[in-house]
Amino acid sequence: MQTILRAASFAARKHRGQTRADNLTPYFSHVARVTLILSHVFGVEDEDTLTAALLHDTLEDTATDYDEIAALFGERVAAYVVLLTKNVMLPKREREEDYAERLSTAPEAVIIAKMADLYDNLSDRVHSPKLPKTSATAGKLLKMFSTRLRSKIGLAAHAKLSLLLAEVKALRLPEGAAPTTDAEE
C-alpha cells in the first residue's frame, strides 16, 4: 500500500498545474479515477497494476522518464507504464499504430489498466464533442482485447466496459445539440 500512496503523491506532483480539457478539473483526478475504477469497479488488487495506473500518463504528459519510474517504483511498474504510453516521438499515425501493436501483446494486467482508462474517459466525455472518437477507440480496443483476456477479473472488466460503451452510445447527443462539458483524456 505504501508504494501506491507514494505513486499517488508522485503523480499529483508531476501533473501539478495540468487540467483536463475543461480547464477546471485537475488532471490528477483522471489518474486517480482510473486507479479507483481498477480497484473498486474491476476488482484489481495487484499493487504494481494500481501503481502503474496512477503513473500511466507521467511519461506522455510530464518530464518524467522511464529510469525515474523504474528507480522509484520498480522495473515491472515502469514497463507497464511504457506499455500504457503513446510514443510522442513518432508521427501521430505511426504513434497510434505503435500503441495499438504494443497493447495487443501487453500482459493482461496492462490491458485491464487500459480498460479502466477507457472506462474513465467514456464516463467523463458523455457530453463532450470527443465522445464519438473515444467511443470508436474503445470499441476497437475492446474487440482486440476480447481474445487476450483469460482471468475472471479481465473478462468481467471487459464486460463492464462493453456495457458502459453501449450505455454511452445510447445517450449520444442529438445532431446539433450543444455539449455541456469538454473533458480531456
Side-chain angles (χ1 to χ4, degrees):
M1 178 59 129
Q2 288 303 311
T3 302
I4 294 169
L5 295 175
R6 283 189 304 106
S9 294
F10 180 87
R13 285 191 307 274
K14 291 295 184 168
H15 289 293
R16 182 184 11 220
Q18 295 177 347
T19 58
R20 300 284 279 178
D22 65 5
N23 292 317
L24 298 171
T25 307
Y27 194 85
F28 176 73
S29 67
H30 167 65
V31 297
R33 287 190 314 262
V34 168
T35 306
L36 288 169
I37 290 164
L38 263 179
S39 177
H40 296 285
V41 178
F42 294 173
V44 172
E45 296 177 354
D46 178 67
E47 187 173 79
D48 286 346
T49 305
L50 296 170
T51 300
L54 281 163
L55 303 173
H56 83 270
D57 280 333
T58 55
L59 293 179
E60 192 172 340
D61 296 336
T62 76
T64 306
D65 65 19
Y66 175 92
D67 292 334
E68 186 176 10
I69 292 174
L72 293 170
F73 303 102
E75 292 288 334
R76 183 175 181 222
V77 169
Y80 283 6
V81 173
V82 166
L83 289 167
L84 291 164
T85 302
K86 294 177 184 170
N87 184 347
V88 295
M89 303 300 286
L90 296 173
K92 188 160 178 96
R93 184 178 183 94
E94 288 178 43
R95 181 182 321 157
E96 297 301 324
E97 291 170 6
D98 172 73
Y99 187 56
E101 177 63 31
R102 286 185 294 112
L103 284 174
S104 74
T105 60
E108 188 171 9
V110 171
I111 292 170
I112 297 168
K114 181 60 187 174
M115 288 192 297
D117 183 38
L118 291 166
Y119 194 101
D120 182 60
N121 285 331
L122 283 170
S123 299
D124 202 35
R125 294 179 179 168
V126 169
H127 299 292
S128 167
K130 296 180 182 209
L131 182 62
K133 183 179 181 200
T134 302
S135 296
T137 299
K140 281 188 230 169
L141 290 175
L142 274 167
K143 185 175 181 179
M144 179 174 69
F145 295 159
S146 67
T147 61
R148 300 281 329 281
L149 300 166
R150 300 286 178 257
S151 70
K152 280 185 186 179
I153 288 176
L155 293 168
H158 189 276
K160 289 174 183 179
L161 179 57
S162 296
L163 180 61
L164 177 64
L165 180 59
E167 290 172 355
V168 165
K169 285 181 175 181
L171 292 174
R172 276 214 177 124
L173 292 172
E175 201 60 35
T180 58
T181 65
D182 183 20
E184 176 57 46
E185 201 175 293

